Amino acid sequence: MPQFPIDRYLLPETPVEVPDGFTEVRQSLTAGLPHRVELGAGVHAVLILPTGLARQWLHTDPLAVVSTSADDLAPRPAPPAVPPPPALVGRVPLRLVVRQGTRILGSVPLAAGLRRVCPDAGPAVATGAAPIAVEVVVLGWLLHAGTVRGSGDYGSSIALAWRRADRATDQFGPPPINEFVWRRRPPAQRVESELGPGRLRYRYLLDKKLRRVLR
């Protein structure tokens, strides 16, 4: 049975595995932040934490955990009967800025299992060579306060996987369903959904081996 279309956008409930065709990169964060991760093909990612609060980190235990992917993978407890008061910030805004040389291809928030293509849309008109499209998967991370404050081995690390996303595939599925054919099928045999701001539309025929059209 084909994979459900939005599976790649959902966070996993088990440790994140490296997808087929991706190259895994694991590094210790011993030089502090920002930290540069070489991906290959002239592309690198920079891990940043834009907090703007330097004094806070000077008085924090250097081994205190600032952020970890274990929070995303832990079982979700039942919500309390009385919700707590809203907090200003629930988690620190760790991000990966993906760059090709000095050109920014995209920004990826750290969330376990998140997959993001950079750039995520057609490149704008610009001078010079066309940007390389890469897909990045966040496998896991652990960040301690000492790493935010400066260099040193405090046990912080990050794990990513990546692949080039600007090459054609050599695997092909069944042909898409013609829109007029799809509309003439009985309603009980049709499934349609729209996802995201770009209105990605998926159509299924339940009696045609779940053939799909995406537009």
Side-chain angles (χ1 to χ4, degrees):
M1 181 175 179
Q3 186 182 30
F4 194 66
I6 66 171
D7 275 351
R8 62 181 298 174
Y9 300 103
L10 303 179
L11 296 181
E13 296 183 358
T14 57
V16 184
E17 297 181 355
V18 180
D20 294 337
F22 283 74
T23 301
E24 183 178 1
V25 179
R26 294 183 178 269
Q27 290 187 0
S28 297
L29 309 179
T30 57
L33 296 182
H35 178 82
R36 176 167 170 154
V37 181
E38 295 292 341
L39 300 179
V43 178
H44 64 274
V46 180
L47 178 64
I48 61 174
L49 177 59
T51 65
L53 303 173
R55 186 181 300 274
Q56 168 186 338
W57 305 111
L58 296 177
H59 301 285
T60 303
D61 182 359
L63 297 181
V65 176
V66 176
S67 179
T68 174
S69 56
D71 294 339
D72 288 346
L73 303 175
R76 297 295 189 267
V82 179
L88 181 60
V89 177
R91 59 190 290 173
V92 294
L94 273 172
R95 306 189 70 84
L96 284 168
V97 178
V98 181
R99 305 197 305 180
Q100 178 187 359
T102 58
R103 180 187 311 201
I104 296 178
L105 301 181
S107 179
V108 182
L110 255 64
L114 179 65
R115 294 174 63 165
R116 181 68 56 85
V117 176
C118 299
D120 58 1
V125 177
T127 58
I132 296 176
V134 297
E135 186 173 10
V136 178
V137 181
V138 180
L139 300 178
W141 73 92
L142 176 61
L143 180 65
H144 291 93
T147 304
V148 179
R149 189 164 57 189
S151 60
D153 189 0
Y154 299 100
S156 302
S157 61
I158 187 171
L160 308 171
W162 76 282
R163 69 170 181 174
R164 290 193 63 162
D166 56 357
R167 296 176 179 175
T169 181
D170 58 357
Q171 299 179 358
F172 303 92
I177 308 165
N178 184 279
E179 179 178 356
F180 298 100
V181 174
W182 183 86
R183 293 188 181 278
R184 294 182 64 180
R185 303 297 297 179
Q189 297 179 0
R190 302 183 314 197
V191 177
E192 182 178 25
S193 61
E194 295 181 356
L195 305 174
R199 296 173 64 107
L200 301 181
R201 180 171 296 174
Y202 295 87
R203 292 189 177 125
Y204 293 88
L205 286 180
L206 300 183
D207 62 341
K208 295 293 186 181
K209 298 182 180 180
L210 296 179
R211 292 192 303 179
R212 180 184 71 185
V213 62
L214 164 63
R215 72 173 195 177

